[in-house]
């Protein structure tokens, strides 16, 4: 049911013909299973191994080499050769191709794991109402129409429409799907928004997301592929792997080279048609076959057989250097792609920010002696770790924050009016939360403020183990105050799957629950009753406007006194609140308390009045500290950064301002768009918007993929960063997908590169490395091509001049693989230029070998080839160890058997001159390697640098 979000509860239940008090019957379950299928993501068939192997040979140059090997073998058999001699040349060629194919197969078999990882986000079990009874069933058995109960800690087993609240409210963490930094409150009302995105569907519980507060009943409306997770899977299936810019250019150059090779081979054959009948060949057919072998030798000489191996080696060396920078490369070609990246589309939550809500500002009343004076504090620390300090308005660190009365009460209220849990995970070596992000932020604040009593408290806390330190101060307050039990585990809790959550809460004392008035949308506040030493107090937290309206007094920070909340004080606090929530876009909560009658064991809504205001806290999902400098480096390098998030526009714009993504812009119009705003633009305006866009908000996974495709159509090379399941399709579609090390397994499997340290700045270091690798790759490709041109010139001119074969195909293969391959690999070790990140990204259509460069290397190849031929002729004409025959005799070697000569005709089959030619070729190519250290700089200048 695709439009369940727009239907009323009764319409949805009627559609599935289900009674919400009894659930589906067995016959209905069977019928719905037949109609809608099982609640599993279908497993995609993997590519057969043999198909992967064949794919590696789908290249024009490789096909030419295979044809050369086959022709060489057939010609050997036709000439009567037997034994090893008939197999040497074709065997060497095939061994080279097999080695290159092995590298390609290994790379591809490691790539496709993302679809399988999606299964980890499916719930294992569900609490289902069928035939009038609740039972726990495997989530795979769910069908549309099933009535399911969910509670705190539950992973949603399918896409479901809310039908009944079993608590005051229900909040769900759906960051893995939408990227929203805060949990989302769900409701029963239908959604009336047009073109509704996931964020607008507040009555839908999405498969794979987690309930962080409340209980509710819902009806299943989508299973398997017909869920939000299923749409992500389908999007990933539709995404084909993009060919990297270098691979495109190498393929283009290969096609060009193949045409040149074919032309030269045909030309050599045609030029020598008159020599087919030479007596030395023994007939027309044998003469034709002889020159056909020369053409095959030309093909072998022209193709740089070692190029794939050298490119792979250099890219592999680049991945090792990147690993030292905490950039783990999963796909070798992506190393080079980084070098020409023009746009980085970065997810906000968890990539540019920590995805850990943290209190950053505190406002309290300092004193009223000389008029209302508000004190403002800032809080450091951007994670769930209890590490950070409190600073006053002058930036001076407070040595013992708990000595300040308001801060002490804020810590107490944060710890006691709280239903979340924070604990240390030794396996992951980080602090983890259970519950609302805002409540966890308050728990962390209580740890940063510390405890009252003695001066050595801060240093004493640091001596605790991380497991003890996680909630030490919170446990102190819980032990100080007796809490009236409100919600012990019920039989239903044990029957259902809340047990792990309840046990974890019991470990941390969380279920000594007070008489609690839970948060509700109309009150926008939560209250808890505590008792200590015959004194009962009510602690309250909530929206500042709601709390302030119920307060009549306020706590002073300087002396701990309580004074009336006058209009002037109220105006000052409201001004600070609007500053926090407006300009700084902080999520604000106000804290208050009230002394209650002794012995009171329950709270009512009427108790939430005549409160004493404690203070105001502002929190946010903080930007990572290193991001601002990294974005500035991107701009210097000519790389545009587009922030992509599911969060609301105002919050995202504030973050972008903090990290410098707007580049000091005052007006964000034309630079910031929501997904719906962008979709409504005409085609021409969309094109213009893409060229200026810096922020894209309220997006679904499909929007991210559409953005990547649109940028690619504008010839941009797009890098996409992300950490959530919702990022996976775009990560796969982008030219290079970059996942966070702490992100989901789905995102990492769909990516080309993983940032082990979650540091956006690491991308910049990786881009610099990618540019250096491309520059080095370009140089050694040019070196190998120019050397191969020399070999072609050698074979071609030998055939034109009518002298014996200067080099055998096996010798050419050796030169291409060893003599050319090793220096080419050494060129790949060149250090990056100091200004590599000051240059603009290279154009995607920039050829590896341009027309002018090809002409230059034709000239270089000409003297390499002529020098090789000169060495060959020298041995016959001038060498003391040679026959010293006239040059004219050498040119007429074909007719030697028909003439009387002073030398045996067998000297023309001597391999000594071929050895001299190969030696000359190797030496000249060593000098050519030095010539290719830089495209435009001299060797001396390069060495001095």
């Amino acid at each position: 049911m695709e439009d369940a979000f727009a239907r009323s509860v009764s319409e949805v239940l009627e559609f599935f013909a289900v009674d919400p008090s009894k659930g589906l019957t067995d016959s209905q379950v069977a019928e719905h299973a037949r109609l809608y299928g099982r609640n599993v993501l279908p497993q995609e068939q993997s590519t057969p191994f043999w198909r992967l192997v064949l794919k590696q040979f789908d290249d024009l140059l490789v096909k030419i080499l295979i044809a050369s090997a086959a022709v060489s073998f057939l010609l050997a058999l036709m000439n009567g050769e037997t034994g090893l001699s008939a197999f040497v040349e074709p065997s060497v060629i095939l061994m080279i191709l097999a080695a290159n194919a092995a590298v390609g197969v290994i790379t591809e078999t490691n790539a496709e794991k993302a679809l399988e990882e999606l299964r980890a986000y499916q719930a294992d079990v569900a609490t289902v109402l069928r035939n009038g009874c609740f039972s726990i069933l495997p989530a795979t058995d769910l069908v549309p129409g099933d009535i399911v109960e969910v509670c705190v800690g539950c992973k949603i087993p399918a896409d479901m429409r809310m039908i009944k609240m079993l608590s005051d409210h229900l909040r769900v963490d759906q960051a893995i799907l939408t990227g929203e930094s805060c949990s989302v409150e769900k409701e029963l009302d239908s959604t009336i928004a047009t073109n509704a995105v996931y964020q607008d569907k507040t009555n839908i519980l999405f498969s794979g997301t987690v309930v962080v507060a409340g209980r509710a009943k819902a009806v299943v409306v989508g299973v398997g592929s017909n869920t939000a997770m299923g749409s992500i899977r389908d999007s990933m299936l539709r995404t084909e792997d993009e060919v990297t810019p270098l691979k495109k250019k190498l393929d283009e150059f290969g096609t060009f080279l193949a045409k040149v090779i074919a032309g030269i081979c045909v030309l050599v054959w045609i030029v020598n048609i008159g020599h087919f009948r030479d007596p030395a060949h023994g007939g027309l057919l044998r003469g034709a076959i002889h020159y056909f072998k020369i053409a095959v030798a030309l093909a072998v000489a022209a193709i740089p057989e070692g190029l794939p191996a050298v490119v792979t080696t250099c890219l592999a060396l680049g991945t090792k250097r990147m690993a030292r920078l905490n950039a783990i490369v999963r796909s070798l070609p992506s190393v080079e792609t980084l070098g020409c990246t023009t746009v980085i589309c970065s997810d906000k939550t968890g990539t540019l920010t920590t995805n850990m809500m943290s209190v950053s500002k505190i406002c309290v009343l300092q004193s009223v002696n000389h008029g209302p004076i508000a004190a403002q504090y800032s809080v450091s620390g951007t994670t769930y770790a209890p590490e950070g300090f409190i600073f006053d308005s002058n930036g001076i660190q407070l040595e013992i924050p708990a000595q300040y009365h308001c801060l002490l009460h804020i810590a107490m209220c944060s710890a006691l009016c709280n239903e979340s849990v924070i604990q240390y995970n030794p396996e992951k070596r980080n602090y983890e939360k259970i519950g609302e992000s805002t409540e966890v932020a308050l728990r962390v604040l209580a740890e940063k403020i510390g405890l009252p009593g003695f001066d050595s408290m801060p240093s004493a806390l640091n001596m605790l183990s991380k497991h003890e330190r996680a909630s030490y101060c919170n446990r102190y307050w819980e032990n100080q105050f007796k809490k009236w039990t409100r919600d012990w585990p019920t039989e239903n809790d044990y029957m259902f799957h809340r047990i792990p959550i309840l046990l974890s809460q019991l470990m941390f004392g969380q279920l000594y629950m007070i008489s609690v008035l839970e948060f509700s949308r109309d009150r926008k506040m939560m209250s808890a009753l505590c008792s200590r030493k015959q004194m009962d107090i009510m602690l309250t937290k909530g929206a500042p406007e709601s709390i302030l309206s119920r307060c009549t007094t306020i706590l002073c920070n300087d002396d701990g006194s309580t004074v009336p909340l006058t209009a002037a004080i109220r105006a000052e606090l409201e001004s600070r609140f609007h500053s926090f929530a407006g300009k700084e876009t902080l999520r604000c909560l106000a804290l208050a308390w009230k002394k209650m009658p002794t012995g009171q064991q329950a709270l009512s809504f009427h108790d939430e009045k005549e409160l004493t205001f404690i203070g105001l806290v502002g929190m946010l999902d903080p930007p990572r500290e290193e991001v601002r400098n990294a974005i500035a480096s991107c701009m210097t390098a000519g790389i545009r950064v587009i922030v992509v998030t599911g969060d609301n526009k105002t919050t995202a714009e504030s973050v972008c301002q903090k990290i410098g993504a707007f580049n000091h812009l005052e007006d964000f119009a034309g630079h910031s768009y929501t997904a719906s705003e962008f979709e409504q633009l005409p085609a021409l305006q969309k094109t213009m918007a893409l060229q200026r866009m810096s922020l894209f908000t309220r997006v679904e996974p499909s929007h991210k993929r559409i953005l990547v495709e649109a940028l690619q159509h504008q010839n941009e090379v797009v890098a996409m960063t992300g950490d959530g399941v919702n990022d996976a399709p775009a990560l796969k579609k982008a030219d290079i997908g970059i996942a966070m090390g702490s992100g989901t397994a789905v995102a990492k499997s769909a990516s080309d590169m993983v940032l082990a340290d979650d540091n956006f700045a690491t991308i910049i270091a990786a881009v610099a490395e990618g540019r250096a690798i491309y520059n080095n790759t370009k140089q050694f490709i040019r070196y190998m091509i120019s050397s191969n041109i020399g070999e072609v010139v050698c074979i071609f001119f030998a055939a034109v001049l009518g002298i014996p074969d200067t080099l055998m195909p096996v010798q050419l293969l050796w030169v291409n693989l060893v003599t050319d391959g090793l220096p080419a690999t050494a060129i790949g070790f060149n250090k990056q230029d100091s200004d590599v990140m000051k240059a603009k990204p290279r154009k995607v259509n920039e050829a590896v070998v341009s027309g002018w460069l090809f002409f230059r290397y034709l000239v270089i190849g000409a003297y390499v080839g002529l020098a090789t031929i000169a060495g060959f002729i020298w041995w016959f004409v001038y060498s003391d160890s040679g026959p010293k025959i006239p040059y004219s005799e050498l040119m007429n070697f074909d007719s030697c058997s028909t003439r009387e000569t002073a030398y045996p005709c067998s000297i023309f089959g001597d391999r000594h001159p071929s050895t001299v030619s190969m030696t000359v070729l190797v030496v000249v190519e060593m000098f050519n390697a030095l010539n290719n250290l830089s495209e435009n700089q001299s060797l001396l200048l390069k060495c001095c640098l």
Side-chain angles (χ1 to χ4, degrees):
M1 189 176 187
E2 296 182 356
D3 62 343
F5 64 91
R7 304 278 191 97
S8 66
V9 172
S10 58
E11 286 178 318
V12 175
L13 293 173
E14 184 181 350
F15 180 85
F16 291 111
V18 59
D19 183 344
S21 62
K22 296 181 180 180
L24 295 175
T25 62
D26 290 340
S27 59
Q28 284 180 306
V29 170
E31 177 65 16
H32 288 194
R34 184 184 66 80
L35 289 175
Y36 304 110
R38 298 188 65 216
N39 186 29
V40 292
L41 294 177
Q43 188 167 1
E44 236 3 74
Q45 290 185 348
S46 59
T47 306
F49 181 77
W50 62 269
R51 197 181 294 274
L52 281 178
V53 173
L54 287 181
K55 184 180 176 182
Q56 309 310 313
F57 297 95
D58 188 19
D59 181 88
L60 187 56
L61 292 181
V62 170
K63 291 174 182 176
I64 292 175
L65 276 177
I66 292 174
S68 299
V71 170
S72 178
F73 178 65
L74 290 173
L75 291 179
L77 292 180
M78 290 176 65
N79 284 339
E81 297 180 23
T82 57
L84 290 177
S85 60
F87 295 96
V88 172
E89 293 176 16
S91 298
V92 172
I93 294 174
L94 293 177
M95 285 172 62
I96 294 168
L97 296 177
N100 289 334
V103 173
V105 169
I106 291 171
T107 301
E108 292 207 26
T109 51
N110 290 333
E112 287 299 324
K113 293 182 181 178
L115 297 176
E116 189 62 31
E117 297 287 358
L118 271 173
R119 298 174 187 276
Y121 292 89
Q122 292 182 295
D124 297 322
V125 295
T127 304
V128 188
L129 178 65
R130 287 181 180 174
N131 300 309
C133 297
F134 273 107
S135 58
I136 298 177
L137 297 176
T140 54
D141 290 349
L142 289 180
V143 296
D146 266 328
I147 305 298
V148 178
E149 184 174 322
V150 296
C151 54
V152 177
C154 286
K155 186 180 287 185
I156 305 300
D159 280 7
M160 304 190 293
R161 168 66 159 88
M162 296 267 293
I163 60 172
K164 184 179 181 181
M165 285 284 189
L166 300 179
S167 59
D168 291 334
H169 70 294
L170 184 84
R171 299 190 70 87
V172 177
D173 181 355
Q174 54 188 41
I176 63 166
L177 183 66
T178 62
E180 291 166 289
S181 56
C182 298
S183 60
V184 178
E185 185 168 354
K186 296 297 182 177
E187 55 189 19
L188 299 178
D189 297 337
S190 58
T191 302
I192 59 174
T194 55
N195 299 322
V197 295
Y198 291 147
Q199 293 90 328
D200 299 324
K201 300 174 183 178
T202 52
N203 53 23
I204 299 293
L205 305 178
F206 295 106
S207 174
T209 59
V210 178
V211 178
V212 296
R215 292 175 63 198
K217 278 186 180 180
V219 59
V220 176
V221 295
V223 295
S225 297
N226 296 317
T227 62
M229 287 293 175
S231 66
I232 289 176
R233 169 191 170 275
D234 293 340
S235 179
M236 292 173 68
L237 285 175
R238 291 193 300 269
T239 303
E240 297 181 0
D241 292 333
E242 293 294 317
V243 180
T244 66
L246 179 61
K247 181 70 167 63
K248 288 178 183 176
K249 291 302 152 191
L250 288 178
D251 288 345
E252 289 173 9
F253 184 73
T255 303
F256 169 73
L257 194 60
K259 293 176 181 177
V260 172
I261 291 168
I264 293 176
C265 290
V266 171
L267 182 61
V268 167
W269 213 55
I270 293 174
V271 166
N272 286 283
I273 285 178
H275 295 284
F276 285 4
R277 297 181 181 275
D278 288 348
H281 303 314
L284 176 66
L285 180 60
R286 288 186 174 275
I289 292 174
H290 171 78
Y291 286 103
F292 193 64
K293 287 183 70 176
I294 293 176
V296 170
L298 267 173
V300 173
I303 298 174
E305 291 85 2
L307 182 58
V310 174
V311 170
T312 301
T313 301
C314 290
L315 292 179
L317 291 171
T319 64
K320 292 190 70 174
R321 290 197 293 268
M322 285 188 176
R324 289 195 289 268
L325 300 172
N326 291 313
I328 312 302
V329 176
R330 299 184 65 256
S331 172
L332 283 182
S334 64
V335 175
E336 172 274 328
T337 308
L338 276 169
C340 59
T341 298
T342 58
V343 177
I344 297 176
C345 294
S346 178
D347 178 47
K348 178 184 74 71
T349 307
T351 305
L352 299 175
T353 66
T354 63
N355 195 21
M356 298 182 188
M357 192 68 73
S358 302
V359 173
S360 63
K361 293 290 179 64
I362 301 173
C363 179
V364 297
L365 180 67
Q366 182 64 26
S367 171
V368 292
N369 294 332
H370 303 286
I373 301 174
Q376 185 169 306
Y377 299 95
S378 58
V379 186
S380 66
T382 58
T383 67
Y384 292 145
E387 301 163 357
F389 303 100
I390 314 296
F391 299 88
D392 64 18
S393 56
N394 297 319
I396 300 173
Q397 179 184 331
L398 305 185
E399 294 297 330
I400 307 176
Q403 288 182 343
Y404 296 80
H405 295 280
C406 287
L407 293 182
L408 179 65
H409 281 74
I410 285 175
M412 180 178 68
C413 187
S414 296
L416 296 174
C417 191
N418 202 312
E419 294 181 306
S420 67
V421 175
I422 185 168
Q423 55 195 18
Y424 182 71
N425 186 328
E427 294 182 359
K428 296 182 179 179
R429 297 182 181 180
N430 62 11
Y431 293 86
E432 296 180 338
K433 72 177 178 78
I434 298 175
E436 272 286 353
S437 297
T438 52
E439 293 201 329
V440 174
L442 291 176
R443 284 213 178 275
V444 176
L445 175 63
E447 297 296 329
K448 293 176 181 177
I449 292 174
L451 300 175
F454 50 93
D455 295 343
S456 61
M457 176 53 66
S459 58
L461 288 174
N462 292 332
M463 296 175 65
L464 298 172
S465 68
K466 290 186 175 182
H467 179 73
E468 295 173 315
R469 182 69 187 90
S471 296
Y472 185 87
C473 299
N474 283 274
R475 281 199 296 267
Y476 167 85
W477 290 114
E478 289 165 357
N479 292 332
Q480 288 291 310
F481 285 82
K482 180 181 178 182
K483 300 181 179 180
W484 301 100
T485 301
R486 173 191 68 93
D487 188 18
W488 283 96
T490 65
E491 182 179 351
N492 281 344
D493 291 327
Y494 287 107
M495 176 178 143
F496 302 154
H497 45 281
R498 290 183 64 196
I499 296 173
I501 303 301
L502 295 170
L503 290 178
S504 67
Q505 290 178 326
L506 282 168
M507 289 171 59
F508 289 92
Q510 284 300 296
L511 282 185
Y512 301 123
M513 272 322 264
I514 345 164
S515 176
V516 169
L517 294 176
E518 288 187 349
F519 180 92
S520 63
R521 296 184 65 189
D522 54 342
R523 292 163 41 248
K524 296 183 180 179
M525 58 195 300
M526 167 190 175
S527 298
L529 180 63
C530 303
S531 177
R532 180 174 185 257
K533 296 179 181 180
Q534 303 302 314
M535 181 181 72
D536 294 334
I537 61 172
M538 181 180 70
L539 298 171
T540 303
K541 73 171 189 288
E545 62 273 20
S546 298
I547 298 292
L548 273 171
S549 66
R550 289 172 167 82
C551 289
T552 56
T553 57
I554 186 168
L555 184 68
C556 289
N557 196 37
D558 58 351
D559 58 5
S561 62
T562 300
V563 299
L565 182 59
T566 64
I569 297 175
R570 192 183 300 273
E572 176 67 15
L573 292 174
E574 288 178 348
S575 174
R576 295 299 178 102
F577 163 55
H578 292 306
S579 174
F580 281 7
K583 183 178 179 181
E584 300 183 51
T585 62
L586 300 179
R587 185 171 186 180
C588 296
L589 287 177
L591 307 174
W593 75 291
K594 178 182 179 181
K595 188 174 180 179
M596 304 297 291
T598 304
Q600 182 169 336
Q601 298 186 13
L603 290 177
S604 69
F605 296 144
H606 298 293
D607 293 321
E608 292 179 325
K609 61 184 179 180
E610 298 179 353
L611 307 177
T612 298
F613 189 87
I614 300 174
L616 179 72
V617 297
M619 57 187 73
L620 77 164
D621 178 12
R624 297 180 184 273
E625 295 177 356
E626 67 281 350
V627 165
R628 188 176 185 88
N629 290 335
I631 288 183
S633 297
C634 284
M635 293 179 177
T636 303
I639 301 171
R640 188 156 58 100
V641 177
I642 300 177
V643 179
V644 185
T645 179
D647 250 344
N648 68 71
K649 192 173 184 178
T650 304
T651 302
E653 286 178 346
S654 174
V655 172
C656 287
Q657 276 187 298
K658 290 184 174 74
I659 62 177
F662 283 137
N663 196 22
H664 309 297
L665 290 171
E666 294 295 332
D667 183 9
F668 306 147
H671 299 271
S672 174
Y673 294 90
T674 64
S676 58
E677 288 172 349
F678 182 75
E679 286 182 332
Q680 292 170 6
L681 293 176
L684 181 60
Q685 290 186 28
K686 276 186 180 179
T687 302
M688 296 176 63
L690 284 171
Q691 295 171 356
R692 302 178 60 199
M693 183 185 292
S694 296
L695 177 62
F696 197 35
T697 56
R698 304 299 284 175
V699 299
E700 290 184 350
S702 59
H703 293 133
K704 295 184 178 184
R705 187 175 182 274
I706 290 170
L707 176 63
V708 171
E709 289 178 340
L711 289 168
Q712 288 173 335
H713 288 153
Q714 293 189 354
N715 293 323
E716 303 280 8
V717 178
V718 183
M720 177 75 196
T721 74
D723 63 342
V725 174
N726 59 318
D727 299 317
L731 287 172
K732 191 174 182 185
K733 177 62 181 173
D735 294 289
I736 175 166
I738 305 171
M740 300 295 110
S742 62
T744 61
V746 181
K748 285 186 275 192
S749 295
S751 66
D752 301 297
M753 190 173 82
V754 178
L755 302 183
D757 58 356
D758 288 2
N759 191 337
F760 184 83
T762 301
I763 299 176
I764 310 308
V767 168
E769 191 64 42
R771 290 187 176 188
I773 289 170
Y774 175 76
N775 290 339
N776 292 340
T777 303
K778 186 168 60 174
Q779 290 309 116
F780 72 64
I781 288 174
R782 289 168 177 173
Y783 160 68
M784 297 187 80
I785 297 303
S786 62
S787 297
N788 280 39
I789 290 173
E791 296 165 19
V792 170
V793 169
C794 172
I795 301 296
F796 178 76
F797 276 97
V800 171
L801 294 173
I803 62 177
D805 299 341
T806 52
L807 293 170
M808 296 172 59
V810 172
Q811 287 176 306
L812 294 171
L813 286 171
W814 176 265
V815 170
N816 287 346
L817 282 175
V818 181
T819 307
D820 291 351
L822 295 180
T825 304
I827 291 174
F829 281 96
N830 278 351
K831 292 182 179 180
Q832 62 180 250
D833 297 334
S834 58
D835 61 348
V836 69
M837 286 301 288
K838 294 179 182 178
K840 301 298 181 184
R842 75 176 192 274
K843 295 180 180 179
V844 183
N845 56 3
E846 177 187 301
V848 176
V849 179
S850 62
W852 164 242
L853 276 175
F854 189 70
F855 173 76
R856 281 174 57 181
Y857 291 120
L858 278 177
V859 175
I860 295 171
Y863 74 68
V864 170
L866 292 176
T868 304
I869 292 175
F872 186 85
I873 295 174
W874 170 85
W875 188 86
F876 278 103
V877 179
Y878 300 107
S879 174
D880 292 335
S881 59
K884 293 188 175 181
I885 61 175
Y887 176 67
S888 58
E889 291 288 327
L890 181 62
M891 289 185 63
N892 294 307
F893 80 98
D894 289 342
S895 60
C896 176
S897 59
T898 62
R899 295 181 287 109
E900 289 190 9
T901 59
Y903 51 86
C905 292
S906 60
I907 63 167
F908 296 114
D910 197 317
R911 301 319 303 168
H912 284 88
S914 185
T915 302
V916 171
S917 292
M918 184 171 176
T919 304
V920 171
L921 178 64
V922 169
V923 171
V924 174
E925 289 191 358
M926 290 304 98
F927 284 101
N928 190 27
L930 297 176
N931 183 46
N932 279 278
L933 287 177
S934 175
E935 180 180 337
N936 299 309
Q937 294 178 341
S938 71
L939 176 60
L940 293 176
L941 183 58
K942 188 70 177 176
C943 292
C944 291
L945 292 174

